[in-house]
Amino acid sequence: MRVLIVEDDPMLGSALNRGIGQAGYSPTLAASGESGLELARDKPFDVVILDMNLPKMSGAELLKALRSEPQTQNLPVVVLTAMDATAQKVKTLDSGADDYMIKPFDFDELLARLRSVARRTQANTSGILQCGDIELDLDAKVVRKGGVVNVLTAKELKVLALLLERKNKIVSKSQIETQLYGYDEEIESNTVEVTIYSLRKKLGKDFVQTVRGVGYLVKQ
């Protein structure tokens, strides 16, 4: 699970980053609403932990921005805040937050809530991704080209899913590496290139386009 932490308190942010990593997940820390929004637009995350009292762009403003953009509108958000008034909680949930926790908090409960909102979102998302004559069934892990089943490796499936989820958008090498490798795993330097090459052999040499110096792209 890839977790974006938007928290401006250095000690708490560092503790969350460390604890989520030690729990086996892949955390990314943003110290402001602006950087959190930029990361959410640029990288694939499974859930966001959001503080409300952020400088400049507040948590409420960031939540509104996330819900207004197609690539982030369904991204699960767990608010973690010291603001404990019932009216504030209701307003935040009505504005699009998926869960709301009050500081101080129990870390194991936070992890459970992250897993819960991520599961709910996955359950509500269609299991089929398509681009042209390529169809990926996420639940069955089956790929079809023109109706004919193609056998892909686990790495190829992960990369294909990311490219199809973000079709018509450039996906960088670092984004693909984030998809392939978990927290604290050693990244092999040529894994992305080898996997893209293999996908082209199986699905068509022009299916994945290279945007030189930027990343990769599949176009509808």
Side-chain angles (χ1 to χ4, degrees):
M1 182 164 60
R2 295 153 299 186
V3 183
L4 173 60
I5 306 161
V6 187
E7 172 60 65
D8 67 318
D9 183 305
M11 290 183 63
L12 179 55
S14 177
L16 286 168
N17 195 59
R18 183 173 60 254
I20 289 169
Q22 290 172 348
Y25 305 126
S26 299
T28 300
L29 179 60
S32 69
E34 294 91 339
S35 59
L37 181 59
E38 184 177 345
L39 284 165
R41 286 169 171 164
D42 186 53
K43 297 180 181 294
F45 291 100
D46 298 301
V47 64
V48 177
I49 298 174
L50 176 61
D51 180 31
M52 297 303 286
N53 291 316
L54 298 171
K56 296 183 179 179
M57 174 181 275
S58 69
E61 291 170 329
L62 175 54
L63 179 60
K64 182 178 180 180
L66 291 174
R67 291 295 174 256
S68 67
E69 300 188 11
Q71 69 267 40
T72 58
Q73 63 184 5
N74 294 317
L75 181 60
V77 175
V78 175
V79 168
L80 187 62
T81 179
M83 301 167 67
D84 60 356
T86 300
Q88 177 64 43
K89 182 176 181 179
V90 170
K91 181 179 178 180
T92 303
L93 291 170
D94 283 344
S95 297
D98 296 271
D99 205 345
Y100 194 103
M101 288 190 70
I102 307 296
K103 301 173 184 176
F105 59 95
D106 181 87
F107 186 71
D108 288 336
E109 181 183 356
L110 173 62
L111 291 177
R113 293 195 186 209
L114 294 177
R115 292 191 294 267
S116 177
V117 297
R119 282 196 304 269
R120 289 202 304 269
T121 302
Q122 290 166 3
N124 291 331
T125 302
S126 170
I128 302 294
L129 296 173
Q130 287 184 300
C131 183
D133 65 346
I134 305 297
E135 178 182 281
L136 169 59
D137 186 326
L138 293 170
D139 297 325
K141 293 182 170 55
V142 171
V143 178
R144 295 179 179 86
K145 177 177 170 61
V148 178
V149 173
N150 275 249
V151 178
L152 269 61
T153 66
K155 279 189 172 67
E156 290 163 2
L157 284 168
K158 286 182 178 181
V159 174
L160 178 60
L162 177 59
L163 291 169
L164 291 178
E165 285 170 352
R166 299 177 67 86
K167 65 184 175 184
N168 300 318
K169 294 182 173 65
I170 297 171
V171 180
S172 69
K173 180 178 178 179
S174 65
Q175 287 176 309
I176 296 175
E177 289 173 339
T178 299
Q179 183 85 341
L180 289 174
Y181 294 95
Y183 174 77
D184 220 21
E185 286 186 279
E186 184 176 351
I187 297 174
E188 298 177 25
S189 61
N190 66 339
T191 297
V192 171
E193 289 82 1
V194 170
T195 305
I196 294 293
Y197 174 78
S198 183
L199 284 174
R200 285 172 173 154
K201 284 190 66 176
K202 294 179 179 180
L203 303 178
K205 63 183 179 66
D206 297 321
F207 176 64
V208 181
Q209 300 179 25
T210 298
V211 182
R212 193 172 301 278
V214 182
Y216 302 94
L217 171 72
V218 296
K219 296 179 71 174
Q220 180 70 55

